[in-house]
Amino acid sequence: MSTSVTCDVLPEGVLSVEQAQERILDGITAITEIELVDLKQAHGRILAEDLQADFDVPPHCNSSMDGYAFAHQSLTTHTNLTQIGISWAGRPYLGTVQLGECVRIMTGACLPAGTDTVEMQENAEKLGEQIIMHSSPKLGENVRYPGDDLKQGETILTNGRKLTAADIGLIASLGKSHINVLRKPRIAFLSTGDELKLAGMPLAWGEIYDSNRYTLNALLQNLPVDILDLGIIPDQAEAVEQAFLQAKAQSDLLITSGGVSVGDADFVASTLSRLGQVNFWKMAMKPGKPLTHGRLGNCLFFGLPGNPVSVMATFLLFARPAILKLAGHIVTQPVTYTAKTLTPLKKTPGRKDFQRGIYTSTERGYEVKTTGKQESHLLRSMSQANCFIVLERAWGDLEAGTQVQILPFDNLV
Ligand code: AMP
Ligand code: MG
């Protein structure tokens, strides 16, 4: 149980996580441009046409077993059938089978003219060219019919569908090598900060390596997007402006990290308001309180905080659903589960916490423990965690044994 519960009213001008998510998604419409892509590149893409079957799949009557094909009527007059040939998959038997005759047939091979039934080889005995039937198969047994899978003229996949591996195979079974999908959004991203150094360069006093751009790059690789890495931008109005203009011209969405608090070196919001529109949102969430959101012309904008944990949390909760909607995906809230915390959890009432946790699935249900310290510069806490522990705004410290909600990273990345 929560040990201290405060009134659940947000301060003036502060948004709840859900309100911010809703506002962001309301302002986004999916990309409409279409491109023709090789089917091999289409996995996970959004189909931009209705697809019809131009012909039946399978296209011909064929056998579902290795065995013998014959006319069912033969069984009224014959117990033995004379084998007159073989029908291979891809090399059909071209003759006509008469009553009292059969052909050896392989799985997937066409049923020859005159046949309508297949006896599986396990139920038949071969004596020279004579095939002795040990059972009485039903008419049509072990036969697969044209259109069993896809019927000619049928719509098999509709516009807006996110293509799965099975869908790709289905389209391939119709002989199509290219299909129309929505263009991928182009996502630009950059890091701001005079203290940031490129990996591989020596560090001077006061400098740190830029980790956020690597994290963002990795997170973006899990999404259906093209990426444009704009590098490290120093804390200078002109440099920030140049980068923003490039993103505006070349991308659908820009993500920045750092430079969004009210420090003297924070040029992100001021540049955005000069070149586009800005919403500077305070959110009742921890980590990642300030989020700058807006647009540069047609380019959407997310100014994430600088601290590495805040970058990941705000990306996953706000930028990721926005990108998915932009790409034409149906966006749903990620699934959370109830888990019992095995460790006490420290929390200050007033903000919704996304603490880092390690959960396990046990026969008693989900159990979770904290990764320890929760400050937003401790990226290792994200690396050790496999879920967020989501703690409601009004809650205070929690004792071990309390039921909490967990949001597994697997449902997010
Ligand atoms: P800022 O929002 O720019 O004031 O940055 C907040 C904190 O995050 C500071 O400690 C920054 O040094 C740190 N930070 C900002 N950008 C990065 C980055 N790209 N990689 C690692 N740490 C960063
Ligand atoms: Mg900074």
Side-chain angles (χ1 to χ4, degrees):
M1 279 300 290
S2 164
T3 52
S4 96
V5 175
T6 59
C7 175
D8 195 21
V9 174
L10 288 164
E12 181 76 23
V14 176
L15 297 181
S16 71
V17 171
E18 294 74 18
Q19 283 169 336
Q21 283 173 328
E22 207 178 301
R23 284 199 195 179
I24 288 169
L25 288 182
D26 281 351
I28 294 174
T29 46
I31 278 174
T32 51
E33 292 111 295
I34 293 170
E35 63 185 20
L36 192 68
V37 294
D38 189 314
L39 193 54
K40 284 189 188 145
Q41 312 303 325
H43 188 213
R45 301 291 297 270
I46 302 295
L47 186 63
E49 58 181 320
D50 287 341
L51 280 182
Q52 269 94 26
D54 296 332
F55 53 86
D56 284 338
V57 176
H60 358 257
C61 241
N62 68 92
S63 177
S64 66
M65 289 285 173
D66 291 338
Y68 299 92
F70 55 94
H72 190 259
Q73 209 195 329
S74 297
L75 298 182
T76 54
T77 47
H78 296 75
T79 47
N80 295 0
L81 302 174
T82 307
Q83 184 184 326
I84 57 162
I86 303 178
S87 186
W88 302 90
R91 274 184 291 141
Y93 177 78
L94 300 176
T96 300
V97 177
Q98 307 296 332
L99 288 180
E101 295 177 343
C102 68
V103 296
R104 172 100 174 100
I105 193 162
M106 310 304 166
T107 305
C110 287
L111 261 74
T115 69
D116 54 22
T117 303
V118 172
E119 176 61 298
M120 55 198 279
Q121 64 187 25
E122 290 83 346
N123 293 341
E125 194 181 333
K126 189 169 163 68
L127 281 178
E129 295 310 304
Q130 289 304 298
I131 308 300
I132 304 154
M133 299 286 170
H134 288 314
S135 77
S136 285
K138 292 196 293 279
L139 173 64
E141 196 149 324
N142 301 319
V143 176
R144 305 193 287 212
Y145 294 95
D148 262 359
D149 198 10
L150 309 176
K151 288 246 180 305
Q152 182 177 9
E154 186 183 11
T155 299
I156 58 156
L157 294 168
T158 48
N159 198 340
R161 163 94 178 177
K162 181 184 173 192
L163 294 169
T164 64
D167 296 342
I168 300 288
L170 210 57
I171 299 167
S173 76
L174 287 167
K176 291 183 194 291
S177 62
H178 290 75
I179 48 162
N180 285 310
V181 296
L182 289 187
R183 172 175 75 76
K184 282 187 197 174
R186 190 146 200 235
I187 313 297
F189 60 107
L190 58 86
S191 293
T192 69
D194 284 340
E195 76 279 32
L196 301 179
K197 255 310 180 6
L198 217 50
M201 306 289 282
L203 279 189
W205 173 244
E207 292 179 337
I208 57 170
Y209 287 115
D210 172 16
S211 64
N212 289 344
R213 223 157 29 91
Y214 282 84
T215 312
L216 286 172
N217 186 58
L219 290 167
L220 287 166
Q221 277 174 3
N222 287 334
L223 295 174
V225 297
D226 288 328
I227 57 179
L228 175 63
D229 183 349
L230 295 177
I232 298 172
I233 307 300
D235 290 319
Q236 293 160 15
E238 195 162 313
V240 173
E241 178 168 324
Q242 279 312 310
F244 281 20
L245 288 173
Q246 187 183 348
K248 182 180 176 186
Q250 297 178 6
S251 67
D252 300 294
L253 189 147
L254 170 63
I255 299 173
T256 66
S257 75
V260 288
S261 42
V262 282
D264 288 345
D266 292 342
F267 294 103
V268 168
S270 57
T271 307
L272 185 64
S273 67
R274 221 165 347 101
L275 301 179
Q277 286 163 261
V278 59
N279 310 306
F280 188 73
W281 288 342
K282 285 210 181 76
M283 283 181 303
M285 106 173 234
K286 195 179 170 190
K289 204 166 152 195
L291 177 76
T292 303
H293 168 259
R295 46 173 65 243
L296 289 157
N298 289 327
C299 177
L300 292 160
F301 182 91
F302 283 91
L304 309 185
N307 277 310
V309 176
S310 309
V311 167
M312 289 197 79
T314 50
F315 177 91
L316 293 172
L317 294 167
F318 303 104
R320 180 181 176 275
I323 291 169
L324 287 172
K325 184 166 181 194
L326 189 62
H329 293 246
I330 293 161
V331 181
T332 49
Q333 277 289 347
V335 180
T336 59
Y337 304 102
T338 302
K340 185 172 85 173
T341 177
L342 300 178
T343 46
L345 299 171
K346 288 195 79 58
K347 178 171 185 306
T348 313
R351 297 202 249 161
K352 188 167 187 170
D353 270 22
F354 292 82
Q355 300 197 0
R356 272 68 67 207
I358 302 164
Y359 80 92
T360 45
S361 177
T362 74
E363 67 270 19
R364 299 173 298 282
Y366 291 115
E367 294 179 345
V368 68
K369 57 184 188 186
T370 178
T371 55
K373 283 190 186 165
Q374 293 292 314
E375 287 119 295
S376 59
H377 64 295
L378 303 175
L379 187 53
R380 183 134 186 241
S381 70
M382 276 306 278
S383 167
Q384 289 168 325
N386 61 4
C387 69
F388 284 126
I389 307 173
V390 185
L391 303 177
E392 291 307 321
R393 245 180 11 237
W395 293 6
D397 291 343
L398 300 174
E399 291 162 7
T402 310
Q403 299 289 326
V404 294
Q405 290 298 303
I406 56 166
L407 175 49
F409 292 160
D410 283 350
N411 295 356
L412 279 176
V413 291

